[in-house]
DNA sequence: TAGATTGTTAATCGATTAACAATC
DNA sequence: TAGATTGTTAATCGATTAACAATC
């Protein structure tokens, strides 16, 4: 049993930012950083940073700060980035294409092991060095690639079917870009990126700025 | 002064989902929906749905439910989707390209009025029916297009500069895809989509499932 | 009227922030 | 030792959920 039992979801959501901030400081040659410095780089408050890190155990030195190198390693372990995660991307339209080529996806920590699409025009083409597989082979691609993470960038109407198939095939984490609420078993982790909603939320605030003529 | 003063941010974040759920029900021919039905379609609890909607005023009928048509209109107004918002996209790489073609962006509610990139190879090409403009023209593209919303899909190192330029040119809402924390004035609304972080968060949970060998 | 369902209040829960004792 | 800064506790704040009176 390690120290990070019961890390709150909001804290988990900030850990990647801390890791990135540390990488930035490290690249600048900074060896030790206070919570104040590190928090500023990550765009949060120092109290929040210390509280978040405390869930992973005690990794700073009082009166001194945090060792950039040591804390980076600690966060890398906490985030499960010590071994590469295998990812399948389903739906190779404009967005899926972009994701397959995205450096954050195909980088050090993740390996794209399969691309799947339903369109015969797309199947068989090579995207980001991989041949796009047909929809019928979805379960096999997941199982044979031993993928644990799936990215869904299909049209909304097939997203739930695709999701069900992949969960049955062994995926435990899903990143959904399709504008549709998906149902997954409790053991499967679901994250949603809803681009349309993001714009609409901006529109909400925009409206309140421009229509001050009340 | 309308009814939606002080709508909590978490509620605002769910309004687009409600609007989409209503559209789905409407397409099925459903004229009236209870909070239970609508909440199920949106993937939230009925209590939360009613509480969220109550911030916009009283729009249901006790003992009956919500009129799908009427509530849709109400949400459309609340979200500021009665007039089209003008959007500029900066950084026309794989992702920017996908976003320019994304139906949720170029659809009924939003108009892409400008595409900007720094790469001479990309400048001058036509993407989604628009000619990509050079970086030097960024401020002019924003001002002349009267854009209020900006999408940043540039590399991280130029994101803050791009952001500053656009804020100065009149943008009031920013959707940032660059993996970098941006600073904006309080009056500017900033939303962040961090694709790399999303995968790392999935990896965090994935690790805890696969490494139960403690 | 009786049954159903909203809108709202109160209770619970979790997250953030502030303050400070521990300690380098 | 004196100054600095963590790790943690307590206080604040906000969001969710449950319960129910209002009312169609």
């Amino acid at each position: 049993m390690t120290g990070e039992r019961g890390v709150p979801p909001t804290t988990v959501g900030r850990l990647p930012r801390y890791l990135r901030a540390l990488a930035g400081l490290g690249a600048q040659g900074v060896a030790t950083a206070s919570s104040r410095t590190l928090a500023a780089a990550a765009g949060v408050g120092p109290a929040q940073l210390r509280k978040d890190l405390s869930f992973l155990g005690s990794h700073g030195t009082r009166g001194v700060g945090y060792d950039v190198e040591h804390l980076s390693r600690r966060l890398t372990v906490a985030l499960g980035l010590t071994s590469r995660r295998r990812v399948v991307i389903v739906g190779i339209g404009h967005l899926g294409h972009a994701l397959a080529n995205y450096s954050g996806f195909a980088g050090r920590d993740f390996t794209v092991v399969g691309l799947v699409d339903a369109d015969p025009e797309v199947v068989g083409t090579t995207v980001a060095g991989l041949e796009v597989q047909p929809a019928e082979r979805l379960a096999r691609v997941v199982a044979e690639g031993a993928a644990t993470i799936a990215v869904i960038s299909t049209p909304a109407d097939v997203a739930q079917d695709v999701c069900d198939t992949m969960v049955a095939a062994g995926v435990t984490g899903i990143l959904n870009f399709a504008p549709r609420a998906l149902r997954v078993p409790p053991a499967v982790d679901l994250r949603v990126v809803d681009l349309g909603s993001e714009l609409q939320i901006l529109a909400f605030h925009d409206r309140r700025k421009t229509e001050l003529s009340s």
Side-chain angles (χ1 to χ4, degrees), chain A residues 35-172:
Chain A
S35 61
R36 177 198 262 261
T37 305
L38 184 48
V44 302
Q48 181 156 84
L49 177 103
R50 289 202 303 275
K51 182 124 243 279
D52 283 340
L53 292 182
S54 76
F55 288 110
L56 305 179
S58 179
H59 295 284
T61 309
R62 289 173 205 242
V64 178
Y66 298 92
D67 182 85
V68 170
E69 178 73 16
H70 172 264
L71 186 56
S72 292
R73 264 199 306 268
R74 191 66 200 74
L75 279 174
T76 301
V77 171
L79 282 167
L81 303 177
T82 43
S83 63
R84 283 158 162 268
R85 306 285 144 178
R86 287 172 302 280
V87 178
V88 165
I89 302 176
V90 190
I92 313 300
H94 283 293
L95 184 60
H97 202 281
L99 296 174
N101 282 287
Y102 189 66
S103 58
F105 279 42
R108 216 179 53 255
D109 306 324
F110 300 92
T111 310
V112 179
V113 297
L115 304 177
V116 177
D117 200 284
D119 183 349
E121 293 277 308
V122 175
V123 171
T125 62
T126 298
V127 173
L130 280 176
E131 192 184 330
V132 178
Q133 304 293 316
E136 312 89 70
R137 263 192 236 161
L138 176 56
R140 228 187 303 168
V141 169
V142 170
E144 286 174 6
T148 53
I149 293 176
V151 175
I152 299 180
S153 46
T154 65
D157 57 345
V158 299
Q160 184 67 62
D161 281 350
V162 163
C163 174
D164 294 344
T165 301
M166 291 197 290
V167 167
V171 152
T172 63

